[in-house]
Amino acid sequence: MSMRTLPLLFLNLGGEMLYILDQRLRAQHIPGDKARKVLNDIISTMFNRKFMEELFKPQELYSKKALRTIYERLAHASIMKLNQASMDKLYDLMTMAFKYQVLLCPRPKDVLLVTFNHLDTIKGFIRDSPTILQQVDETFRQLIEIYGGLSAGEFQLIRQTLLIFFQDLHIRVSMFLKDKVQNNNGRFVLPVSGPVPWGTELPGLIRMFNNKGEEVKRIEFKHGGNYVRAPKEGSFELYGDRVLKLGTNMYSLNRPVETHMSGSSKNLASWTQESIAPNPLAKEELNFLARLMGGMEIKKPSGPEPGFRLNLFTSDEEEEQAALTRPEELSHEVINIQATQDQQRSEELARIMGEFEITEQPRLNTSKGDDLLAMMDEL
C-alpha cells in the first residue's frame, strides 16, 4: 500500500463531485450568483490550507466510510443540504467515474495527469475568485513537488492501491452503459484500440536477444487491436497540454445519468462487511477524521438567504423510495471507543463530530427556479 495515495484519491473524487453539481446547476438554470456561491464555497473548503497540510502527510488509505464522511461534510459546506439517499447517489457517481479513469490510465504515472485535468477544470469554475484560485494553485504546486520526482514503481504502487480501494465497487451508471464501456454486471470494458502509453512501441513484434544483448530474431504477431503511437507526452507543469482526456468534465454535454444498484451484490456485501465487521483501525480512522476535519472551515449561511435541499432524483417520491430500500447495514453507526488515556483527543473529536449536525433551514415559499429540490432531476 502506498502512503502517497490519499491526496490523489481525495482530489479526483472531489473534482467529480464538482462536475456533477456544476452540470445540474446549469441544467436547472439556477441563477448565476447562487451557482457560483455553491461552487466557490465547496472549492474554498476543499482546498483550505490547513486541510491540505493534513491531507498531504504520508498516511495509509482508510475505509470508504471514513472518506465518504469527508465528502458528506464538503457537500454541506454551502447553502445546500443533501439527505442520505441523494448523498449515496452522488458518491456512487463520483467513485465509479474515477475508478474508470484509473483503469484506463495508459501508464501508472498518468494518474497524476488525471488529477491535473480535474484541477484545471476546477480552476475554470473559480476564474473570477482570485483568492480561491490561489488556494488551488498552491495545491497544484504541492502535487508537482511531491509527485513530480516519484519513480515509475512508486506510481505503480499508487495505482495498485487505488484499484484495491475500488475493486469491489460495481455500480452500473447509465452513461457508461450507453457508451458500452460498462457491462450489465457493473464491470468496465477495457478498449483494444487508441494510443499506446508514451514511450512504448506498438504491439505486434517480439524481439529475441542472445546472452551478449544482440538481437538475433524477430517474430511478428497479430494483436487484434487498433493501436496508434501517442502524439506526445502530457505536461506535468502548472500550465500545459495534458494530452490525456481522462479526468476532464464528462458531464459538460448535459447528459442524464442514473445509477443502478441491482446486480451489484458483491459491492453491497463488501460495504455491509465493512460496516458491521470489527475494525482494528477504528480509533485511527476517527483520529484521522479529527485531524482532517479540524482543518476544514465550514462557512455558515449568513443573511436572510435560506439553505437549499439538493435532490439527485427525478422526484421526492423516488428519493424517499431509495432511502427506504437502502440496507440498514449501510447506515451510519456510532463507534464506541475506550479513549480514557487520551482525554484531549476525545474532547477534540467530540467538538468536531458535534459540527456534523446540520440545522434544518426553514422552508420558504419560493419559485421552482429558486428551489434546488429538483436540481439533478435527471441524474
Side-chain angles (χ1 to χ4, degrees):
M1 298 285 285
S2 172
M3 304 289 281
R4 291 291 189 185
T5 307
L6 183 59
L8 300 181
L9 178 63
F10 173 81
L11 292 171
N12 284 288
L13 288 179
E16 289 298 321
M17 179 176 73
L18 290 166
Y19 290 173
I20 298 167
L21 296 179
D22 169 69
Q23 192 270 341
R24 296 316 302 165
L25 284 165
R26 288 184 288 105
Q28 293 297 310
H29 306 290
I30 301 300
D33 56 341
K34 291 186 178 182
R36 284 191 296 272
K37 176 174 175 54
V38 169
L39 295 179
N40 284 0
D41 287 349
I42 293 176
I43 295 171
S44 178
T45 304
M46 180 176 170
F47 291 91
N48 175 269
R49 183 180 60 82
K50 293 181 180 179
F51 179 65
M52 284 292 113
E53 287 177 357
E54 289 293 338
L55 187 72
F56 274 89
K57 291 179 180 178
Q59 54 196 304
E60 292 184 359
L61 284 187
Y62 288 82
S63 69
K64 298 177 182 70
K65 202 170 190 178
L67 286 172
R68 180 205 161 100
T69 305
I70 301 289
Y71 292 106
E72 197 157 345
R73 185 165 172 80
L74 265 179
H76 293 99
S78 188
I79 55 177
M80 298 188 305
K81 177 177 172 57
L82 285 171
N83 72 10
Q84 196 66 59
S86 288
M87 188 66 214
D88 287 344
K89 188 167 188 176
L90 177 62
Y91 192 71
D92 287 346
L93 289 171
M94 292 159 50
T95 52
M96 292 306 291
F98 185 44
K99 176 181 180 179
Y100 177 68
Q101 293 157 13
V102 173
L103 282 171
L104 263 66
C105 275
R107 302 175 302 174
K109 184 179 182 180
D110 289 335
V111 72
L112 191 55
L113 290 178
V114 174
T115 310
F116 287 174
N117 275 334
H118 280 110
L119 295 190
D120 286 340
T121 309
I122 289 173
K123 288 170 67 175
F125 294 154
I126 52 171
R127 62 172 64 93
D128 298 325
S129 304
T131 303
I132 308 176
L133 194 60
Q134 187 176 0
Q135 291 178 248
V136 179
D137 278 341
E138 180 57 33
T139 301
F140 235 125
R141 294 185 182 95
Q142 284 183 278
L143 286 169
I144 294 171
E145 179 182 350
I146 294 174
Y147 294 92
L150 295 187
S151 66
E154 289 171 310
F155 274 112
Q156 171 60 21
L157 188 58
I158 288 174
R159 183 174 184 271
Q160 183 180 8
T161 305
L162 288 170
L163 292 176
I164 291 172
F165 180 84
F166 288 125
Q167 66 179 349
D168 292 325
L169 295 177
H170 305 298
I171 301 165
R172 294 180 297 162
V173 178
S174 61
M175 180 184 296
F176 294 141
L177 292 170
K178 290 175 183 176
D179 290 344
K180 300 187 184 302
V181 298
Q182 189 180 33
N183 292 324
N184 285 328
N185 60 6
R187 298 182 182 276
F188 288 113
V189 179
L190 299 182
V192 290
S193 62
V196 297
W198 173 256
T200 62
E201 298 183 9
L202 296 178
L205 179 65
I206 300 174
R207 293 186 178 92
M208 299 184 182
F209 299 84
N210 59 21
N211 55 5
K212 297 180 180 180
E214 300 170 341
E215 184 178 332
V216 296
K217 189 177 181 181
R218 290 189 176 194
I219 300 177
E220 294 185 356
F221 66 93
K222 294 182 178 180
H223 50 73
N226 184 23
Y227 296 101
V228 296
R229 295 186 186 278
K232 61 179 180 178
E233 185 177 24
S235 172
F236 289 90
E237 303 299 325
L238 182 60
Y239 303 100
D241 182 6
R242 312 300 175 195
V243 180
L244 192 70
K245 300 304 180 185
L246 296 173
T248 55
N249 191 352
M250 66 178 182
Y251 301 98
S252 59
L253 299 178
N254 290 328
R255 302 168 66 184
V257 182
E258 287 288 348
T259 57
H260 307 273
M261 290 298 296
S262 60
S264 56
S265 58
K266 185 177 181 181
N267 169 56
L268 179 59
S270 172
W271 276 88
T272 303
Q273 183 178 6
E274 184 175 304
S275 299
I276 65 177
N279 186 354
L281 293 177
K283 183 176 178 180
E284 285 301 316
E285 289 188 356
L286 291 181
N287 290 342
F288 160 75
L289 289 176
R291 291 196 309 273
L292 260 60
M293 292 180 181
M296 276 188 174
E297 296 179 359
I298 304 298
K299 298 178 181 178
K300 302 291 184 181
S302 57
E305 187 175 21
F308 295 97
R309 176 167 164 254
L310 184 80
N311 185 358
L312 275 77
F313 294 83
T314 56
S315 65
D316 287 349
E317 290 75 15
E318 185 180 343
E319 187 180 47
E320 291 169 2
Q321 182 63 30
L324 291 174
T325 57
R326 186 172 188 266
E328 293 183 5
E329 293 86 350
L330 303 188
S331 300
H332 290 295
E333 299 177 359
V334 176
I335 304 174
N336 296 317
I337 298 175
Q338 297 294 331
T340 56
Q341 297 178 354
D342 194 351
Q343 186 66 25
Q344 184 178 2
R345 174 67 72 183
S346 298
E347 293 174 357
E348 174 70 4
L349 184 60
R351 179 187 68 79
I352 293 169
M353 288 303 184
E355 294 179 1
F356 279 117
E357 184 176 347
I358 306 297
T359 304
E360 185 72 29
Q361 298 288 344
R363 283 181 175 247
L364 298 179
N365 292 326
T366 58
S367 66
K368 184 175 181 181
D370 290 335
D371 197 348
L372 294 187
L373 285 174
M375 186 180 173
M376 300 194 174
D377 62 340
E378 295 182 353
L379 260 170

